[in-house]
Amino acid sequence: MRFHLKFYLHYLVLLGFSGVISIYGPHQRAQKTGDILLGGLFPIHFGVASKDQDLAARPESTECVRYNFRGFRWLQSMIFAIEEINNSSTLLPNITLGYRIFDTCNTVSKGLEASLSFVAQNKIDSLNLDEFCNCTGNIPSTIAVVGASGSAVSTAVADLLGLFYIPQISYASSSRLLSNKNQYKSFMRTIPTDEYQAIAMAAIIDHFQWNWVIAIASDDEYGRPGIEKFENEMFHRDICIDLNVLISQYIDEAEIRRLADRIENSTAKVIAVFASGPDIEPLIKEMVRRNVTDRIWLASEAWASSSLVAKPEYLDVMGGTIGFALRAGHIPGFKEFLQQVHPKQSSLNEFVREFWEETFNCYLEDSPRNEDSENGSTSFRPLCTGEEDIASVETPYLDYTHLRISYNVYVAVYAIAQALQDILTCTPGKGLFANGSCADIRKVEAWQVLKQLRHLNFINSIGEKVHFDNGSELSANYTIINWHRSPEDGSVVFEEVGYYSIHNKIGDKLSIDKTKILWNGHLTEVPFSNCSEECEPGTRKGIIDGKPTCCFECTECSDGEYSDHNDASVCSKCPNNSWSNGNHTSCFLKEIEFLSWTEPFGIALALCAVLGVMLTAFVLGVFVQFRDTPIVKASNRELSFLLLFSLICCFSSSLIFIGEPQDWTCRLRQPAFGISFVLCISCILVKTNRVLLVFEAKIPTSLHRKWWGLNLQFLLVFLFTFVQVMICVVWLYNAPPGSYKNYDIDEIIFITCNEGSMMALGFLIGYTCLLAAVCFFFAFKSRKLPENFTEAKFITFSMLIFFIVWISFIPAYFSTYGKFVSAVEVIAILASSFSLLACIFFNKALHSPFLTGSSSLNKVYFL
């Protein structure tokens, strides 16, 4: 393994030497010698020219294309910081920092090619490469590297630099994969991880209540992890992605057209993009060509302010873009430094010549462009005079109003300088190395700087803590920008409309001023980007088979349920005492019903009961009035009085069933009804059986008179009634009835009595019916008594009516509900009570002297 690694390094170093003899790395660079050397990697170009290598001849280095003015400004920021430190009397005094800065061309291959020089110089002695090449020279080792920009480039460079513990501080690589300190041992950064940016992007989508979006990401270490985290956040927020694709700046035109077709055909209006400017540019060009203006773009920090796409000619399509930008910093004197650039004054910076030619669209003497122009290979450009005014041309290079990445570069350089200052001022015995020793600043090595950086902790000029210990990341503070068109010159203006801070408390992390946002460049109303139209109150979202959860149909809430807001996922059940209104948007209190004294039906039943009481009382009054007459005596006067009293109790017990049920009425009504009827039936039973025994004996003897005396009759009535009383006592003790609210009926709450035990109620009614059956038997057996004694026939008829009523009561009781349960029982009580009163007493009352006006009586038998 060690041999293979060494061979691999030999190969890399030789590859680095193959370009130009006596210098390391790619030919074009910015460099300055010094006591300590810093490396730099910047995307001076957006990409490389695509060229097929058929290997017919020695492969040539690929050409970088499309000049990046912002990348050159970032490079200038590093040089400015180094010059500022070199001129400082307090920071690294008597030590000069040098630099070697290369162009990555925003590609991995160029980034690795540039990084080879850093690795080769640091390891040239230990690799014993003299047998391969003449590597003598006194070039200082590179003790730290600032860069690179893109996450894909930084990932590849970090793998290489990490092998030799060369510290690398990136100013723009935000991929969350680079947070893995076990894999990327020497990687650090001055930009927050895009894990927070993915959360912030999902929070914005949620904030505007969108649930149907398109997700696009660059096919590299920046886009793939970013969009993966974004997808997870969307899933947790119940937001759906209609289209999810990966793109690259090198994708062919046919694929771009197919992607544009899919976007146009999608119903999602919001497009979230995790990509760099070069990667998204081909797609945006195609969308501009098609003039697709009804989309809202969400831009990650990597392209939110990119000069490649933030162009005035794109604003008809891209106007209204919502993007993320890092917090801007301030670099005193940087503006003047940028304006001082000139090819004649920047011999150490080879990138200045190309910058000058691209800025003024001319060529300098001895420029490769001059030769190309003479050969007709490029368009004609005039010769540069050298007197051009840099301030007269508007380019992204001089856009220093919001220094974000440039400030990150500035902080990265100062972080390295601060680490070197800590080494310089280290006190022996208190150092970070073995036995508290300190590193020698004049012979400092990269791994020692890396150790010092891991323990670095300082505050930058905007008040943020900068530290690179394991697991630490910078605070995720993003400014949210909105692309506007400048009313003065039509240029792109990045209007700040809010912010996102991950360390704020929940609810305050995201702040957006909607009044500042212009959608699609001119609209103020928030666009609609949902798979389905929102469901109105009174409905809920219904799942559509085969569709994402964000695509739904609106289903009306069921009865008894409601929804009072738009897009309700579920309908809420109304409380037990409420019911949903007609459109299911709210609940109203249910109507409370019971067999009331005030309703017509309750009044009618109460009147019938009172009438029964009055008629019974009237008959009782007649019997008391004529208690010494033969007809009253023949009717067993004392039992008749008790029987009439029990009938009054029967009629009165029905009144307890009317009115709002209370616990005490529920416990009273069934026992009152049961005991009253048993008392009544017991009187009739004893009376009927006495008559039957007397008539079967032909002649009433003294034995019969003694056996069936009055005391025995009352004792039997008491015993029969006592059994019912015990049934009621056991019932009330074990399962007492109580008031009960029945919520099962729509729109109505029925207040009824919960009988506690239906078995006990069955015993109560069953025992009453048993006595009635015995009474019926004796009455039926007495039907052939002398014709003057017709009472047995009436008792038989009354018992028959009694059976019909209570047999009909059972199915009626169990098939009705609510207040009608009480009404059925009241009707049964009244019907059976009236039948007993009418059949047994009305005939006697009609023949009483009170009604006939005569004191004479028909011949009757009496005891």
Side-chain angles (χ1 to χ4, degrees):
M1 179 67 183
R2 184 178 181 85
F3 170 78
H4 288 300
L5 177 60
K6 185 174 182 180
F7 177 79
Y8 175 66
L9 292 174
H10 287 181
Y11 170 75
L12 289 179
V13 172
L14 289 176
L15 183 63
F17 292 152
S18 63
V20 179
I21 300 175
S22 80
I23 60 173
Y24 300 98
H27 175 65
Q28 194 175 24
R29 70 189 67 187
Q31 68 176 11
K32 179 182 178 180
T33 60
D35 301 320
I36 297 175
L37 207 61
L38 305 185
L41 297 173
F42 293 90
I44 308 303
H45 295 83
F46 283 114
V48 295
S50 58
K51 182 186 296 185
D52 292 332
Q53 301 283 2
D54 58 5
L55 302 181
R58 180 185 296 275
E60 297 179 359
S61 179
T62 50
E63 180 186 0
C64 298
V65 295
R66 294 190 298 168
Y67 196 81
N68 183 2
F69 288 96
R70 292 179 70 209
F72 182 67
R73 170 157 45 87
W74 303 341
L75 178 149
Q76 289 286 82
S77 177
M78 179 176 177
I79 295 176
F80 174 78
I82 290 175
E83 295 297 339
E84 196 174 56
I85 293 168
N86 287 338
N87 294 328
S88 173
S89 59
T90 57
L91 187 60
L92 297 178
N94 302 319
I95 293 179
T96 301
L97 297 180
Y99 54 83
R100 302 176 68 221
I101 304 174
F102 299 99
D103 179 13
T104 66
C105 301
N106 203 37
T107 59
V108 172
S109 60
K110 289 291 183 180
L112 284 175
E113 186 179 351
S115 300
L116 286 175
S117 62
F118 308 141
V119 173
Q121 183 59 38
N122 283 26
K123 286 297 177 181
I124 195 169
D125 294 331
S126 62
L127 291 176
N128 297 319
L129 295 178
D130 289 338
E131 58 181 294
F132 296 98
C133 63
N134 181 14
C135 300
T136 58
N138 188 24
I139 301 176
S141 299
T142 303
I143 55 93
V145 176
V146 176
S149 171
S151 295
V153 179
S154 285
T155 301
V157 171
D159 283 329
L160 180 59
L161 298 182
L163 291 173
F164 307 100
Y165 296 94
I166 300 175
Q168 173 191 359
I169 303 180
S170 174
Y171 47 85
S173 299
S174 57
S175 173
R176 64 188 179 95
L177 296 181
L178 290 166
S179 298
N180 187 346
K181 299 300 181 181
N182 292 325
Q183 183 174 357
Y184 305 105
K185 305 178 183 65
S186 63
F187 179 83
M188 292 157 278
R189 54 185 162 194
T190 56
I191 186 174
T193 171
D194 56 24
E195 180 171 0
Y196 302 130
Q197 190 175 183
I199 297 173
M201 190 174 288
I204 286 182
I205 293 173
D206 197 13
H207 177 78
F208 290 110
Q209 298 180 350
W210 296 322
N211 68 10
W212 193 234
V213 300
I214 296 172
I216 299 175
S218 56
D219 190 10
D220 56 23
E221 284 75 4
Y222 169 72
R224 289 191 299 268
I227 210 67
E228 179 184 351
K229 178 63 177 178
F230 175 73
E231 290 173 359
N232 292 336
E233 282 297 312
M234 299 285 274
F235 174 78
H236 291 309
R237 297 172 186 266
D238 292 328
I239 302 173
C240 302
I241 297 176
D242 179 36
L243 183 62
N244 193 345
V245 292
L246 298 175
I247 59 172
S248 168
Q249 62 175 310
Y250 303 111
I251 193 171
D252 58 67
E253 293 183 4
E255 188 64 27
I256 286 291
R257 287 194 294 269
R258 284 193 292 269
L259 175 56
D261 289 338
R262 296 173 67 187
I263 293 175
E264 277 195 287
N265 295 330
S266 172
T267 56
K269 302 300 181 183
V270 174
I271 306 174
V273 181
F274 248 95
S276 62
D279 286 334
I280 193 63
E281 183 191 18
L283 175 61
I284 290 179
K285 281 185 176 179
E286 179 63 20
M287 300 299 284
V288 170
R289 188 186 68 81
R290 299 185 182 204
N291 195 30
V292 181
T293 60
D294 61 341
R295 297 296 192 271
I296 298 299
W297 297 79
L298 289 183
S300 64
E301 177 275 330
W303 72 276
S305 56
S306 172
S307 58
L308 278 179
V309 291
K311 297 180 178 180
E313 57 268 30
Y314 293 172
L315 275 181
D316 288 341
V317 171
M318 301 303 295
T321 295
I322 300 291
F324 291 91
L326 301 174
R327 288 179 60 180
H330 177 61
I331 306 177
F334 188 49
K335 173 182 177 181
E336 294 75 14
F337 179 80
L338 291 178
Q339 292 176 340
Q340 292 171 2
V341 66
H342 195 280
K344 294 181 180 180
Q345 301 174 1
S346 305
S347 59
L348 300 177
N349 189 345
E350 298 176 5
F351 298 109
V352 174
R353 296 177 60 85
E354 186 178 2
F355 163 74
W356 197 269
E357 292 176 346
E358 291 295 331
T359 301
F360 299 106
N361 196 26
C362 61
Y363 67 90
L364 296 166
E365 291 182 325
D366 301 328
S367 170
R369 293 184 181 276
N370 186 19
E371 299 175 5
D372 293 339
S373 178
E374 292 176 356
N375 295 333
S377 60
T378 60
S379 59
F380 174 78
R381 290 188 179 192
L383 186 67
C384 300
T385 64
E387 302 298 327
E388 291 85 0
D389 183 8
I390 191 70
S392 65
V393 182
E394 191 170 315
T395 65
Y397 171 74
L398 289 179
D399 182 13
Y400 40 74
T401 53
H402 297 94
L403 297 177
R404 296 184 171 93
I405 300 299
S406 298
Y407 183 75
N408 287 351
V409 175
Y410 184 79
V411 171
V413 174
Y414 264 86
I416 298 172
Q418 189 65 48
L420 293 172
Q421 177 71 13
D422 291 343
I423 292 175
L424 177 64
T425 59
C426 175
T427 301
K430 297 182 179 180
L432 299 177
F433 304 100
N435 300 320
S437 61
C438 299
D440 185 354
I441 192 66
R442 297 292 178 178
K443 299 179 181 180
V444 67
E445 296 186 40
W447 65 270
Q448 294 172 322
V449 178
L450 176 60
K451 175 74 170 179
Q452 201 72 46
L453 281 169
R454 288 178 177 175
H455 291 80
L456 183 67
N457 194 341
F458 77 103
I459 306 296
N460 61 23
S461 60
I462 61 173
E464 290 182 332
K465 286 185 178 181
V466 179
H467 47 92
F468 303 111
D469 55 315
N470 290 336
S472 65
E473 297 285 354
L474 288 184
S475 299
N477 297 309
Y478 296 103
T479 298
I480 300 172
I481 60 175
N482 184 221
W483 290 14
H484 290 191
R485 186 187 295 275
S486 172
E488 287 82 14
D489 55 7
S491 62
V492 180
V493 176
F494 302 123
E495 180 72 21
E496 294 187 4
V497 296
Y499 66 85
Y500 182 88
S501 179
I502 194 67
H503 294 296
N504 285 2
K505 63 181 181 180
I506 297 176
D508 293 336
K509 295 180 184 293
L510 176 67
S511 176
I512 295 180
D513 187 351
K514 295 181 181 179
T515 61
K516 292 183 178 181
I517 298 179
L518 293 180
W519 303 103
N520 301 115
H522 60 279
L523 302 176
T524 56
E525 183 179 355
V526 178
F528 180 83
S529 184
N530 294 48
C531 183
S532 303
E533 293 288 339
E534 65 180 7
C535 292
E536 296 181 351
T539 62
R540 63 171 177 83
K541 299 176 183 178
I543 297 175
I544 302 176
D545 292 337
K547 293 284 188 178
T549 55
C550 300
C551 303
F552 49 83
E553 57 185 1
C554 297
T555 304
E556 187 177 8
C557 294
S558 304
D559 290 340
E561 297 181 345
Y562 75 99
S563 65
D564 56 1
H565 60 276
N566 293 334
D567 273 349
S569 299
V570 294
C571 295
S572 303
K573 288 186 68 67
C574 292
N576 282 340
N577 64 342
S578 303
W579 193 251
S580 57
N581 58 5
N583 53 11
H584 301 279
T585 57
S586 62
C587 298
F588 62 90
L589 292 176
K590 290 183 179 181
E591 182 182 351
I592 297 177
E593 285 198 5
F594 50 86
L595 190 58
S596 173
W597 292 101
T598 58
E599 64 176 291
F601 194 36
I603 294 173
L605 293 177
L607 290 176
C608 290
V610 172
L611 177 62
V613 171
M614 292 176 64
L615 290 175
T616 306
F618 170 75
V619 173
L620 179 59
V622 171
F623 268 56
V624 172
Q625 179 73 26
F626 300 98
R627 59 185 176 277
D628 295 325
T629 59
I631 190 171
V632 173
K633 291 180 178 180
S635 297
N636 197 334
R637 178 176 56 193
E638 289 76 9
L639 278 181
S640 295
F641 290 157
L642 185 59
L643 176 58
L644 288 169
F645 169 75
S646 66
L647 280 175
I648 291 176
C649 292
C650 289
F651 282 115
S652 300
S653 68
S654 66
L655 295 174
I656 308 175
F657 288 82
I658 303 174
E660 181 177 353
Q662 305 290 338
D663 287 341
W664 69 271
T665 58
C666 291
R667 293 185 177 97
L668 177 62
R669 65 182 194 173
Q670 297 292 7
F673 141 71
I675 294 172
S676 299
F677 264 88
V678 165
L679 179 61
C680 178
I681 300 299
S682 299
C683 291
I684 298 173
L685 174 61
V686 171
K687 184 178 179 181
T688 304
N689 192 45
R690 178 174 178 273
V691 171
L692 179 62
L693 290 176
V694 170
F695 275 94
E696 284 183 348
K698 303 300 181 182
I699 300 173
T701 63
S702 58
L703 179 63
H704 288 101
R705 291 177 182 271
K706 181 179 179 181
W707 181 252
W708 281 103
L710 188 61
N711 292 335
L712 181 58
Q713 295 176 42
F714 280 111
L715 177 61
L716 290 175
V717 171
F718 170 77
L719 292 176
F720 289 143
T721 306
F722 180 75
V723 174
Q724 185 76 308
V725 170
M726 291 308 299
I727 292 175
C728 294
V729 169
V730 173
W731 180 7
L732 293 177
Y733 179 79
N734 290 302
S739 177
Y740 167 71
K741 292 183 178 180
N742 186 352
Y743 298 99
D744 297 336
I745 309 302
D746 300 351
E747 304 183 23
I748 298 174
I749 299 175
F750 284 121
I751 302 181
T752 58
C753 285
N754 180 5
E755 302 300 349
S757 172
M758 295 305 296
M759 181 181 294
L761 178 62
F763 275 118
L764 184 141
I765 297 177
Y767 178 68
T768 304
C769 291
L770 176 63
L771 292 180
V774 175
C775 185
F776 175 79
F777 171 76
F778 286 125
F780 181 78
K781 193 174 180 180
S782 304
R783 69 188 186 283
K784 295 183 180 180
L785 293 178
E787 60 181 10
N788 285 342
F789 196 90
T790 60
E791 188 177 30
K793 296 179 181 180
F794 291 111
I795 292 174
T796 303
F797 188 63
S798 67
M799 290 299 105
L800 187 61
I801 295 175
F802 184 89
F803 279 124
I804 293 173
V805 169
W806 288 102
I807 290 174
S808 302
F809 163 78
I810 295 174
Y813 182 86
F814 287 103
S815 62
T816 55
Y817 58 89
K819 64 182 181 180
F820 301 107
V821 174
S822 299
V824 165
E825 192 161 358
V826 170
I827 293 172
I829 293 172
L830 293 178
S832 53
S833 299
F834 273 115
S835 67
L836 293 174
L837 177 64
C839 294
I840 296 175
F841 290 103
F842 278 3
N843 184 51
K844 294 181 178 62
L846 291 174
H847 290 84
S848 67
F850 178 76
L851 296 178
T852 59
S854 171
S855 60
S856 62
L857 291 170
N858 295 330
K859 182 180 179 181
V860 295
Y861 290 93
F862 60 92
L863 299 175

